[in-house]
Amino acid sequence: MHAMLTHIDPKNVFVIVPAYNEDEIIQSVIKELLPYNYTLVIVDDGSSRNLYSLIKNLPVYILRHAINMGQGAALQTGIEFALSKNAEYIVTFDSDGQHAADDIDKLLEAFSDNDVDVVLGSRFINGSAHNITIKRKLLLKIARYLNYFFTGLLLTDAHNGLRAMNRIAASSIRLQENRMAHATEILAQIKKAKLRFKEVPVHVYYTDYSKRKGQSAWNSFRIFFDVLLNKIFG
C-alpha cells in the first residue's frame, strides 16, 4: 500500500496518458494507476484499433483525436482538458507500461515546499533504476547536450515522459510540436517562462512491448532536425 500525500488531494492530480494503438497494454496501465485515486485522462490519439471499447467501463476520462496527431498534440489536449476541470497538478505518464505508478507520489512530494513548478523524472540520478541498453543510454547522453544547446537546461535525463507540473506551469506551456519533439519544446518553455524545476529519481523499465513501440535511433535524429528547423525558421 502506498503512503498518501497529506498536502495534495489525489482527485486534483490529473494524470494524462496519451495512447495510440496501445490495446495490448492500456488496461493494465490504467489498472496500475487506479488505486492511487488520481483523476485519469486517457487521450486516444486517433487509434486505428478500438481503444474505447477496452476502457469505456473504467473510471477514466476518455478524449479522442479523430486522426493521429502525435504525442505532443495528445498531451496538449489532455493538459487543456485538465486545466478546464480545475486540476491543481498535472502528470504526464506514458501508456506503454515503462513507467511505475508509485513514482508519481515522488514527483508530487517535490511540490511540498512550494519552491518548484515542474518536476521531471530522471533515470540517471541517485535512487533511480532502469534497464536501458548501452546504445540507448549513449543516444540519451547526446540528447542531453543537444537539449542543453536548444533550451539552456542541462538535465540528467533529457527525454523522460514522466513529469509533473503545477497549475501555473501547465497554464504557461503550449505545445506546438505535435510529435516527439515536444519533449525538447517543454524544456524550452520551462526556461522561457522562468519556471522553477527539479529532477527526481524514477524507475523506467523497458519491456519487449515498449521497445517495439518506442523511438528508433533514426527517429531520435528526426526529432533533432525537427527542433533545429523550428529554431532556425520558426
Side-chain angles (χ1 to χ4, degrees):
M1 188 68 188
H2 67 285
M4 292 300 295
L5 296 172
T6 54
H7 64 291
I8 295 175
D9 179 350
K11 288 292 176 198
N12 292 333
V13 177
F14 280 61
V15 179
I16 314 301
V17 185
Y20 176 63
N21 288 344
E22 302 284 11
D23 43 299
E24 285 182 51
I25 201 166
I26 191 67
Q27 286 175 313
S28 63
V29 169
I30 292 171
K31 284 172 181 174
E32 188 191 342
L33 288 163
L34 286 176
Y36 296 83
N37 295 316
Y38 305 127
T39 299
L40 305 183
V41 182
I42 314 304
V43 185
D44 177 0
D45 187 29
S47 296
S48 56
R49 304 194 279 275
N50 194 357
L51 219 61
Y52 176 76
S53 64
L54 294 172
I55 60 177
K56 63 183 179 183
N57 295 322
L58 296 172
V60 300
Y61 286 108
I62 305 167
L63 311 179
R64 178 170 163 79
H65 290 162
I67 58 169
N68 177 237
M69 295 173 67
Q71 195 177 51
L75 288 175
Q76 187 61 42
T77 293
I79 289 168
E80 287 174 12
F81 175 80
L83 289 172
S84 77
K85 294 287 184 183
N86 298 315
E88 284 182 33
Y89 298 94
I90 294 173
V91 174
T92 66
F93 194 91
D94 287 353
S95 57
D96 60 5
Q98 67 184 29
H99 290 156
D102 59 4
D103 278 337
I104 294 176
D105 271 2
K106 283 193 267 180
L107 300 185
L108 297 173
E109 195 62 61
F111 291 106
S112 58
D113 294 331
N114 292 317
D115 61 352
V116 68
D117 301 303
V118 183
V119 183
L120 304 163
S122 172
R123 291 164 278 199
F124 305 120
I125 56 179
N126 195 29
S128 64
H130 64 78
N131 63 342
I132 296 172
T133 61
I134 292 169
K135 179 182 168 187
R136 194 175 188 91
K137 198 170 181 179
L138 181 63
L139 270 175
L140 287 167
K141 202 163 198 170
I142 295 167
R144 181 184 176 218
Y145 289 102
L146 289 175
N147 267 358
Y148 178 52
F149 174 72
F150 287 120
T151 69
L153 301 185
L154 185 59
L155 302 173
T156 63
D157 191 351
H159 283 180
N160 193 322
L162 185 55
R163 57 181 86 80
M165 58 194 92
N166 62 19
R167 191 175 174 81
I168 294 164
S171 301
S172 63
I173 287 174
R174 302 281 310 171
L175 297 177
Q176 306 296 321
E177 294 281 356
N178 283 352
R179 300 200 175 270
M180 296 308 293
H182 73 272
T184 299
E185 188 183 20
I186 286 175
L187 301 181
Q189 293 190 18
I190 289 170
K191 175 81 168 177
K192 187 176 180 184
K194 296 184 170 64
L195 298 172
R196 301 163 302 166
F197 68 92
K198 75 182 290 188
E199 293 182 280
V200 302
V202 297
H203 301 77
V204 175
Y205 286 106
Y206 292 94
T207 61
D208 289 341
Y209 175 81
S210 68
K211 285 178 192 167
R212 208 164 67 237
K213 291 281 292 190
Q215 292 295 315
S216 67
W218 169 242
N219 227 17
S220 300
F221 284 107
R222 270 188 46 212
I223 292 166
F224 166 63
F225 287 114
D226 277 354
V227 175
L228 180 64
L229 291 171
N230 195 44
K231 186 142 181 115
I232 295 169
F233 301 111

